[in-house]
Amino acid sequence: MALVFTTTLLSFLLLVSSLGYLANAKTHNHDFVVQQTNIKRLCKTHNSITVNGQFPGPTLEVNNGDTLVIHVVNKARYNVTIHWHGVRQITTGWADGPEFITQCPIRPGGSYTYRFTISGQEGTLWWHAHSSWLRATVYGAIVIHPKLGDSYPFPKPKRDSVIALGEWWDANPIDVIREATRTGAAPNVSDAYTINGQPGDLYNCSSKDTVIVPIDSGETNLIRVINAALNQQLFFTIANHKLTVVGADASYVKPFTTSVLMLGPGQTTDVLIKADQAPARYYIAARAYASAQGAPFDNTTTTAILEYKTAKCTAAKCVTSKPIMPPLPAYNDTATATAFTTSFRSPRKVMVPTEIDDSLFITAGLGINQCPPKTRARNCQGPNGTRFTASMNNVSFVLPSNFSLLQAHQQGVPGVFTTDFPAKPPVKFDYTGNVSQSLWQPTRGTKVYRLKYGARVQIVLQGTNIFTAENHPIHLHGYDFYILAEGFGNFNPKTDTAKFNLVDPPLRNTVSLPVKGWAVIRFVADNPGAWIMHCHLDVHIGWGLAMVFLVDNGVGPMQTLEKPPPDLPVC
């Protein structure tokens, strides 16, 4: 009797606590107007695509548990979708946003309302266009504060700043990728990197708009760093200041101190910075981590200024007082990148899946397509008269065009996709060695891998040396995953399994797959829907470096994909 009473009391207290939590949760309504806006950078004005005329777009501030309702109106001349990068989208897959995966695009003149709840995530995420190369200018931050009444797992910082790293083309980015698609060659690299949309002091016509990040002596501030660049991993540092990493991809991490960050496109890192230096002006700087040997890249450096309040810049002083410049790693400094990415741990012991239901081995890398006879040379400007491509397990992913995958799955539409994505490469080879040219050309297809609800999944991601090897930021929609280990060379299950961290591995949504190396991730398939996993270098996803997990419904409404909203765009 006492046991029954205790259990009932506990259930009652949990219910009261839950109701209190729900009462504190808020619904945030926003209007996003996708439109053309004149933006001047690098001495020229471009008619760029923005949200609400802002570049970067609006920062969304919420608390863990809040709901977002965002009405998107497309007044631009291109199709568009918006992806809420890293948001778990539990049962709300229709709001995830990747074009032709969970929705058809919002056509010019059309609209769509995204509805989703932030659940169990705190820190920094971001949103961006997920249609062609529109995310070059269509992106913004999502700042997730703790639930009302809760606090950070570290002393509350005095200030909170967002630094979004981006890339800028002195051209229309859509024209850049369309030209590359026509020729089959790699697209032109960017002309500048940006911090909060501004290139900074080291570029022409940019100094007066350099971003200022304020700080005051003695205070500790939180800086939320986002790599929103289209195609480039970036090193990031602040002159003379140490950075204490406390979060990544909206999950807290065991704090560690570093002088430099490395973020792949899609990744976020939250750092604490203490104002313990002489009051002055210090450069915040970012430049490329370029791991692909021989491949062209933007070798410029973007800057902002960390400015102590007592060292404000006056017109006379600025002429003589240049901010202090930090050293930055060499462009190809893989050792520094690796030291950083392998430092992440969860704050405490976590429940890593130990028994595995679906074990996948997925190769990721570039390739080339031979041009058919009589193809015009201007359309085959890849290496030796070919066209660039990319693949996972030798399948170059092809987006559907008449239905989204989620619609086709939910409505039982045949012929849109097949469920035969291979769980391992069709041919085993020396992935990071000299790869036979007979393996350079992948097959094309819209293939998905089906998972039962609740399946425990392990993926060994293996980089390849086809044409060239490089670091690939691999992002999985709809899920966070534990990164158990990473290494160089070919993954060897006999020796590398012993390196797995099953105690406190970090929880991420984007993993940096090392150049000529491997990484192992695990997650539980507890979110029904169609979830794309792809390289977050946009040039690579366009070439086909992607695949899709189709996760079945479970039991009951909490494990079942919601019905599609009535305003879901049609193809």
Side-chain angles (χ1 to χ4, degrees), residues 356-369:
I356 302 301
D357 301 303
D358 290 81
S359 183
L360 292 90
F361 187 100
I362 298 180
T363 56
L366 302 187
I368 54 173
N369 281 330

Side-chain angles (χ1 to χ4, degrees), residues 318-339:
C318 281
V319 175
T320 57
S321 170
K322 195 79 172 167
I324 298 165
M325 189 71 187
L328 278 154
Y331 298 114
N332 63 348
D333 190 347
T334 293
T336 292
T338 303

Side-chain angles (χ1 to χ4, degrees), residues 392 461 472-476 481 509-511 513 533-535:
M392 286 184 163
L461 293 163
H472 295 280
I474 304 296
H475 171 51
L476 175 60
F481 48 74
N509 63 55
T510 305
V511 57
L513 177 58
M533 183 173 74
H534 64 90
C535 179

Side-chain angles (χ1 to χ4, degrees), residues 2 63-64 85 123 130 143 162 226 293 349 363 492:
N63 292 87
N64 180 5
H85 184 110
H130 211 296
V143 173
V162 171
I226 301 166
Q293 189 172 0
K349 182 177 171 59
T363 56
N492 184 336

